[in-house]
Amino acid sequence: MAASPALLFRDRNLLARKQSARLDKQNDLGWKLFGKVPLRENAQKDSKKIQKEYEDKAGRPSKPPSPKQNVRKNLDFEPLSTTALILEDRPANLPAKPAEEAQKHRQQYEEMVVQAKKRELKEAQRRKKQLEERCRVEESIGNAVLTWNNEILPNWETMWCSRKVRDLWWQGIPPSVRGKVWSLAIGNELNITHELFDICLARAKERWRSLSTGGSELENEDAGFSAADREASLELIKLDISRTFPNLCIFQQGGPYHDTLHSILGAYTCYRPDVGYVQGMSFIAAVLILNLDTADAFIAFSNLLNKPCQMAFFRVDHGLMLTYFAAFEVFFEENLPKLFAHFKKNNLTPDIYLIDWIFTLYSKSLPLDLACRIWDVFCRDGEEFLFRTALGILKLFEDILTKMDFIHMAQFLTRLPEDLPAEELFASIATIQMQSRNKKWAQVLTALQKDSREMEKGSPALRH
């Protein structure tokens, strides 16, 4: 019996609805597996709801809820700062803030803002002051450069000892003319030429090659100096160069000034084999290299080490070194009697801290820019200023040192603070009087040297 068209149409509709329901159920299961919401649910949202959700996410609510209503919005983000923690309400799963607590947090926030603004203003004022000081210093240096180049250097012989130049010298020589001034002030009593430097450097290179190959063709050139001594001197140069201003990284192996420093020190060992290389020379040569050309640095280096004080220390003349220490103590007791007595009580002798200062001319013990200013006045006043600087350092830290014992004083003086202010140090040095019982440094030193010679000779007058 054939089915009627109406029944067939009804069956087809029923089958279609069942298939559609089965597919919808499968889709729901699929979305649930991935933790998402079926599209048909989203499609039912009207435009007003979508707009409201967008405004909520964008942080533009139409009207903030009042505290009385205790309305809590579900945030889509977490607070990122202390400020947010203070201002935001508590999470929905916690009790809402009381009105008093909310007001207290608002006040704390406002206080934080005020303090932050104060800090910002103070920092801005500090930066402005630093900028003004930097501009002042740069202008002062610029004016000084013009004075040195146009007035002083062209008339060096007549102007270098004038009051005006001495005052400028004390303030610090501008870096651009420092090398020229140092060369003129140190002088060239040894009459070293650029050609002599080239000869010494060539001999040094030949010696390095000879030692590296184990040759002995240069033995006759340095009669009295064993190959072991020469090799030890060259090895010490290599070791010391690696420890010379390590923070600058310019004198170490591969640095731009490594070969230059090595050349100057090697050439000097050939020029003065009787002195050779002594630890600490690398710092003096390095400072000169930073301010002079290679040959001129060698000339200044050789003449500088030929000064009586430097030669006494680098040749390790114990008797003369003790005389310098004795002269220093005369002025130490004259200027700083309280600290002098404290040092004596703790048996802290000058050699413990002075040797390193004198050997390197303070270039290892002080910041480089400050050491260069010490060098400026040292080139003007000579060895006396080295010991005056030592007394200035002791005076600057007198209050600290008088509270220390032997070990702490020795440690402090052999490793001075890295942030030592230049103006404070020079102000301290300016207060030091290098005169004792109407005798100046040179007179005191000469008298002590005479006494020392008489003691060596066993003078009857001194025995009684």
Side-chain angles (χ1 to χ4, degrees):
M1 179 176 168
S4 67
L7 289 172
L8 288 172
F9 180 75
R10 186 190 64 184
D11 292 341
R12 280 199 297 270
N13 284 345
L14 181 62
L15 180 63
R17 282 197 299 273
K18 287 181 179 180
Q19 289 177 346
S20 177
R22 192 180 301 111
L23 287 174
D24 289 344
K25 186 175 182 181
Q26 290 175 356
N27 286 339
D28 290 350
L29 290 172
W31 281 108
K32 288 176 182 177
L33 285 173
F34 290 97
K36 297 183 180 180
V37 180
L39 288 174
R40 58 190 178 87
E41 292 183 9
N42 289 335
Q44 294 177 357
K45 295 182 180 178
D46 58 18
S47 60
K48 289 185 178 180
K49 289 184 179 180
I50 293 173
Q51 182 177 358
K52 186 176 185 305
E53 288 180 359
Y54 174 77
E55 287 178 351
D56 290 343
K57 290 182 179 181
R60 296 193 300 270
S62 57
K63 186 177 180 180
S66 62
K68 294 181 180 180
Q69 293 174 335
N70 290 329
V71 178
R72 170 72 188 177
K73 295 184 297 179
N74 292 322
L75 298 177
D76 292 331
F77 60 92
E78 295 181 359
L80 299 178
S81 66
T82 306
T83 303
L85 288 171
I86 291 175
L87 294 181
E88 290 296 336
D89 295 331
R90 292 172 180 168
N93 59 335
L94 296 176
K97 288 183 183 179
E100 293 180 358
E101 185 177 356
Q103 181 64 25
K104 178 182 177 182
H105 287 177
R106 172 63 64 179
Q107 290 176 353
Q108 290 176 344
Y109 168 71
E110 290 174 353
E111 290 174 2
M112 289 169 57
V113 171
V114 170
Q115 293 298 324
K117 288 182 177 179
K118 286 183 179 179
R119 286 194 298 271
E120 289 177 2
L121 180 61
K122 189 175 181 180
E123 180 65 19
Q125 291 173 343
R126 187 186 66 82
R127 287 196 299 266
K128 182 181 178 182
K129 188 176 180 180
Q130 281 184 339
L131 181 60
E132 291 174 350
E133 179 65 18
R134 192 180 301 118
C135 292
R136 186 191 66 78
V137 171
E138 290 176 356
E139 183 180 0
S140 176
I141 292 174
N143 294 334
V145 169
L146 293 175
T147 303
W148 281 99
N149 282 327
N150 299 335
E151 300 179 26
I152 302 171
L153 291 177
N155 306 289
W156 176 259
E157 294 298 332
T158 57
M159 288 196 67
W160 76 271
C161 57
S162 66
R163 181 70 180 178
K164 176 183 179 181
V165 175
R166 290 182 67 84
D167 290 341
L168 280 175
W169 223 317
W170 183 266
Q171 295 169 14
I173 300 172
S176 60
V177 297
R178 178 170 274 151
K180 180 66 175 175
V181 174
W182 285 0
S183 291
L184 291 170
I186 294 171
N188 188 12
E189 293 180 355
L190 299 174
N191 294 317
I192 300 174
T193 61
H194 287 203
E195 291 73 21
L196 179 58
F197 167 66
D198 292 336
I199 293 171
C200 292
L201 180 57
R203 290 183 61 193
K205 290 181 178 179
E206 185 64 28
R207 179 178 296 169
W208 296 332
R209 284 193 293 269
S210 175
L211 290 174
S212 63
T213 57
S216 59
E217 59 270 18
L218 293 177
E219 285 183 0
N220 294 330
E221 294 187 16
D222 297 322
F225 303 98
S226 68
D229 290 339
R230 294 196 300 271
E231 189 171 359
S233 183
L234 293 176
E235 286 299 320
L236 187 56
I237 288 176
K238 291 181 181 179
L239 179 62
D240 245 17
I241 286 177
S242 66
R243 299 182 296 198
T244 303
F245 297 119
N247 294 335
L248 297 181
C249 301
I250 57 177
F251 295 106
Q252 286 65 39
Q253 185 72 40
Y257 292 114
H258 172 269
D259 293 342
T260 305
L261 181 56
H262 198 267
S263 297
I264 288 178
L265 297 175
Y268 184 77
T269 61
C270 289
Y271 176 68
R272 290 297 302 266
D274 58 320
V275 179
Y277 178 78
V278 181
Q279 200 168 7
M281 286 183 178
S282 62
F283 280 89
I284 297 177
V287 173
L288 292 169
I289 288 170
L290 293 175
N291 292 277
L292 291 163
D293 294 333
T294 306
D296 292 328
F298 175 77
I299 294 171
F301 179 74
S302 301
N303 280 276
L304 190 58
L305 297 193
N306 199 52
K307 304 291 183 182
C309 180
Q310 277 62 53
M311 190 55 65
F313 277 79
F314 282 112
R315 296 191 74 168
V316 196
D317 186 335
H318 291 288
L320 195 49
M321 289 172 67
L322 290 174
T323 303
Y324 274 103
F325 294 148
F328 169 77
E329 287 196 303
V330 169
F331 294 94
F332 187 0
E333 186 177 15
E334 190 79 24
N335 286 273
L336 304 166
K338 182 181 177 182
L339 186 61
F340 177 79
H342 184 66
F343 276 31
K344 283 293 184 182
K345 179 181 177 182
N346 288 273
N347 296 317
L348 186 68
T349 53
D351 57 291
I352 293 175
Y353 52 93
L354 272 186
I355 284 181
D356 199 37
W357 295 355
I358 302 300
F359 262 109
T360 63
L361 302 180
Y362 296 96
S363 56
K364 182 182 177 182
S365 307
L366 297 177
L368 183 57
D369 56 343
L370 179 53
C372 286
R373 282 198 61 184
I374 300 296
W375 278 48
D376 290 343
V377 189
F378 163 62
C379 290
R380 184 194 76 178
D381 294 349
E383 63 186 36
E384 174 185 325
F385 189 72
L386 296 178
F387 296 93
R388 189 182 179 191
T389 299
L391 293 173
I393 293 172
L394 295 178
K395 181 177 177 61
L396 185 63
F397 297 109
E398 181 177 13
D399 293 339
I400 298 174
L401 292 168
T402 51
K403 299 174 183 177
M404 294 181 176
D405 57 14
F406 172 87
I407 294 177
H408 290 93
M409 285 190 294
Q411 290 176 340
F412 182 87
L413 293 175
T414 52
R415 183 168 293 185
L416 295 170
E418 296 181 357
D419 57 347
L420 194 62
E423 297 307 322
E424 288 186 20
L425 176 58
F426 270 80
S428 179
I429 296 173
T431 64
I432 301 299
Q433 299 298 319
M434 298 302 284
Q435 189 167 337
S436 175
R437 298 177 184 176
N438 296 323
K439 289 184 179 181
K440 295 183 178 180
W441 168 266
Q443 295 172 315
V444 171
L445 183 64
T446 302
L448 289 170
Q449 286 176 323
K450 184 179 178 181
D451 292 344
S452 178
R453 285 193 294 268
E454 290 178 351
M455 289 180 66
E456 290 175 359
K457 292 178 181 178
S459 172
L462 285 176
R463 287 178 184 174
H464 301 289

